[in-house]
Amino acid sequence: MNGPTKKFPLKSHLWRYYLRRFRNSLCWNTALVSAWLVAVEFFYGPGEALTDQYPYVIGGLCALGLVGLLVSLGYFLARLMALMTYTGSLRRSMNRYQAHTPVQDPYEVLEKDIRCRLFEITDIYLGNDWLVFPGQAMKRDQITDILLERLSGSYLSKKCRLHVKDSRGNSMYQDLAPSQAPEYVYHYLTGLHPASSRGSFEARQGLGAIAAYQEKLQKEREEAGKGAPTLGISAWDRSPVLEDNHVRYAYERWLLASYSLYLAADPQYHADFAYTGGYQRTAYQQDNARKLLAEPWDIHDKEELLDTVRHLVRTGRDRRDGWQLGRAPMILGFAYIAGMITHEELLEYSLEPALAIQQTFRTWQELLESNLEGYAAWARKKKFIAHRRRILQELIRDPDSLINTESIQADLAALYQEAAG
């Protein structure tokens, strides 16, 4: 399982999404037709006395039912049409950006690019290059506006509508229920696209204000990038790349394998086995890693980091606890991404926890199953535990995953010397 090379089953996800909506409309339509026919049969049959006594009332109710039936039928036909045409709609939205090489099969392109279904509770899909809503796709480097609209202000709905616009004037939206944490999704996406404007959809009416805001953001971004290494901009978060940290040595892959369950379970945070530390070293990820170390780890400097690592190694070895031992190289990876330690220090400080892991567990599966037990006791929420258990089984079954390509019993001293030399 090597991060971006694993295909995401987008086609089946979208099919289930549209089939579910069609099935719901069919059920509603069937129920309304049945109710209307039963009402007509009653009022012009056994209940004819009521019809004779209140002809206008009964006639009005039947007419109202007929209108509702026609509306329901229109809704049903719209869902049927969406089910039949969503692939074509997806292809057309992609071809806005592919004028010279039009996309024929959108899934062939997107399934290689998409990394995850956002937080596993939305119908939003995030990739290296594409952001996908059902039936719509947008190039991430073209996004200029991410706006949130509360539908309760205009409709009898508790949902929020997430709008995304690009530099060419195209837009797409997705309605999110309260259970899908719309504000959290909104803040997450705006964080991933720091150059985009953001705010309330209702308040963003003045085009001049939007342009001025975007210009201000662009200037801030340019200022932030001055003095930074000229390594380009990340495809994921569009922030400056601070260091080329692609994995080059077996020792780096061994370290990633030790906390591969964490990385594989959280793809929406850009976890990637292609990079030392598990994440690309960008300005955005540096800020994320610093926040993560500060809360909940309460780590703010190198001394606190090493104290925490020593504690995890000691308790993990004494208790034969993969939850403690596996997190020791993990927080060192975070510290490297945060800029708290250098690449050389990451390799050096990771050797002790790596040796402790090797001396305590015979296989990666033993380590990760022990890690999962500790996670289950900490997380407690069944759906999170079930998700991580499913990820562990995927890692075990995937012949290309790090736990199947790197040996836990490798000669760590030799691997370290190769990487550090």
Side-chain angles (χ1 to χ4, degrees):
M1 185 172 182
N2 212 6
T5 62
K6 185 181 180 183
K7 290 187 68 174
F8 184 88
L10 181 65
K11 187 174 183 178
S12 61
H13 273 263
L14 293 183
W15 166 250
R16 288 196 296 269
Y17 171 84
Y18 280 99
L19 184 62
R20 182 176 69 249
R21 286 160 65 89
F22 170 74
R23 189 169 54 237
N24 290 344
S25 69
L26 177 61
C27 291
W28 275 107
N29 202 64
T30 302
L32 286 173
V33 168
S34 301
W36 187 77
L37 290 175
V38 168
V40 170
E41 186 70 25
F42 174 78
F43 287 122
Y44 292 95
E48 190 172 359
L50 287 173
T51 306
D52 293 338
Q53 189 175 359
Y54 305 104
Y56 296 109
V57 174
I58 302 304
L61 288 175
C62 287
L64 186 62
L66 180 60
V67 170
L69 182 61
L70 293 174
V71 171
S72 176
L73 180 61
Y75 181 72
F76 167 75
L77 292 175
R79 290 284 179 253
L80 176 61
M81 184 63 67
L83 179 65
M84 296 171 62
T85 62
Y86 70 88
T87 296
S89 175
L90 184 64
R91 180 173 57 249
R92 287 191 296 274
S93 68
M94 293 177 67
N95 283 334
R96 296 167 181 165
Y97 312 96
Q98 307 281 126
H100 299 297
T101 55
V103 172
Q104 300 300 321
D105 182 358
Y107 304 111
E108 183 179 356
V109 176
L110 292 174
E111 291 193 342
K112 295 176 182 177
D113 179 70
I114 296 300
R115 298 286 299 279
C116 63
R117 178 186 177 209
L118 207 57
F119 305 118
E120 296 296 324
I121 57 173
T122 69
D123 295 296
I124 297 173
Y125 304 90
L126 193 65
N128 283 329
D129 299 319
W130 296 93
L131 179 68
V132 176
F133 291 0
Q136 308 169 85
M138 186 174 288
K139 289 282 284 186
R140 289 187 58 189
D141 60 1
Q142 296 287 315
I143 292 175
T144 58
D145 297 87
I146 301 176
L147 308 171
L148 194 67
E149 177 183 12
R150 288 167 178 79
L151 298 182
S152 58
S154 306
Y155 309 96
L156 296 176
S157 174
K158 295 182 179 180
K159 291 183 177 181
C160 289
R161 181 166 290 174
L162 184 71
H163 297 261
V164 181
K165 300 184 178 182
D166 70 7
S167 58
R168 306 176 183 211
N170 303 307
S171 64
M172 61 184 190
Y173 69 85
Q174 179 68 10
D175 292 345
L176 300 173
S179 61
Q180 294 175 309
E183 293 197 2
Y184 187 79
V185 172
Y186 162 72
H187 287 298
Y188 177 73
L189 287 177
T190 55
L192 285 184
H193 302 87
S196 66
S197 63
R198 71 289 309 272
S200 165
F201 178 80
E202 299 90 335
R204 301 303 302 277
Q205 303 299 327
L207 294 178
I210 292 176
Y213 184 67
Q214 289 176 345
E215 184 178 353
K216 174 177 176 291
L217 284 173
Q218 183 62 28
K219 287 182 179 178
E220 290 177 353
R221 184 179 171 191
E222 290 173 356
E223 287 296 322
K226 287 182 179 178
T230 56
L231 298 175
I233 299 297
S234 167
W236 265 95
D237 54 63
R238 313 308 298 168
S239 69
V241 176
L242 303 178
E243 183 178 347
D244 179 5
N245 64 316
H246 279 88
V247 168
R248 294 179 175 83
Y249 299 101
Y251 181 62
E252 296 167 319
R253 292 193 293 274
W254 196 101
L255 295 177
L256 289 175
S258 67
Y259 57 103
S260 56
L261 181 56
Y262 175 91
L263 296 174
D266 294 289
Q268 61 263 27
Y269 295 109
H270 300 186
D272 197 324
F273 295 110
Y275 296 102
T276 302
Y279 302 86
Q280 188 178 21
R281 273 223 67 208
T282 67
Y284 173 81
Q285 288 291 11
Q286 177 176 266
D287 185 55
N288 276 353
R290 286 174 176 174
K291 291 176 181 176
L292 184 61
L293 288 170
E295 177 64 39
W297 286 97
D298 197 25
I299 295 173
H300 305 88
D301 56 40
K302 188 190 297 186
E303 182 178 352
E304 292 177 342
L305 169 71
L306 296 180
D307 283 344
T308 303
V309 170
R310 284 190 286 268
H311 169 75
L312 291 172
V313 171
R314 183 178 64 257
T315 56
R317 183 188 284 123
D318 292 345
R319 303 171 192 169
R320 189 178 167 77
D321 187 346
W323 173 239
Q324 294 289 81
L325 284 175
R327 292 186 299 163
M330 182 182 79
I331 63 167
L332 286 167
F334 293 163
Y336 164 61
I337 300 301
M340 191 176 292
I341 58 176
T342 65
H343 180 267
E344 291 74 17
E345 288 173 324
L346 167 67
L347 302 181
E348 178 186 348
Y349 299 149
S350 296
L351 187 56
E352 182 183 358
L355 290 169
I357 288 171
Q358 192 178 67
Q359 293 160 5
T360 308
F361 296 97
R362 294 174 300 169
T363 66
W364 289 122
Q365 185 171 342
E366 278 187 13
L367 169 68
L368 297 183
E369 285 177 348
S370 176
N371 183 282
L372 182 59
E373 289 178 10
Y375 173 79
W378 174 79
R380 298 186 181 178
K381 291 189 177 181
K382 291 183 178 179
K383 65 178 182 180
F384 295 155
I385 299 168
H387 170 66
R388 197 162 285 205
R389 183 172 288 113
R390 185 172 64 252
I391 294 298
L392 175 57
Q393 292 306 311
E394 289 181 8
L395 286 170
I396 293 170
R397 290 193 300 264
D398 183 359
D400 296 324
S401 70
L402 289 179
I403 67 171
N404 286 321
T405 56
E406 303 300 321
S407 171
I408 194 173
Q409 297 301 329
D411 185 345
L412 285 176
L415 295 184
Y416 169 73
Q417 289 298 330
E418 178 193 24

